[in-house]
Amino acid sequence: MVTDEFTSLARAERRGLGVPALPFTLIEHPLGDQPAEGVEARADAAIDQIVYALTTPEGELTAAEARRQYPEPKSRRKRRAPGG
């Protein structure tokens, strides 16, 4: 499980560990300042992705992960000028 702010790091880590197609579940950042209920809600929303990753045959999972597109972290998205 990875927050959307650390998508690039997660991809680099899995390549470095020799498992470039290892899936990860993406959840909204941040978690640190969230109440327990907020963290639980994010985990509940991610549970289907986690079960899929744990129960899908490796070959099928690898192919699906190779096609998966991850959004850019919010901190790296270009900010639009007001009115633009």
Side-chain angles (χ1 to χ4, degrees):
M1 192 177 301
V2 177
T3 66
D4 55 10
E5 192 63 31
F6 294 101
T7 306
S8 297
L9 177 60
R11 286 190 291 223
E13 285 291 324
R14 67 185 184 181
R15 280 192 306 271
L17 292 170
V19 286
L22 180 72
F24 54 84
T25 300
L26 198 60
I27 59 172
E28 188 180 347
H29 185 85
L31 288 177
D33 64 349
Q34 297 299 307
E37 297 81 18
V39 175
E40 287 177 20
R42 290 178 187 179
D44 288 344
I47 196 71
D48 288 342
Q49 291 179 53
I50 295 167
V51 170
Y52 173 78
L54 292 172
T55 60
T56 301
E58 183 180 357
E60 184 180 329
L61 192 58
T62 299
E65 190 62 24
R67 293 186 305 272
R68 187 168 176 193
Q69 299 293 313
Y70 292 97
E72 278 293 311
K74 290 178 187 174
S75 65
R76 293 190 185 164
R77 295 179 193 157
K78 291 184 180 180
R79 299 186 195 279
R80 293 185 179 180

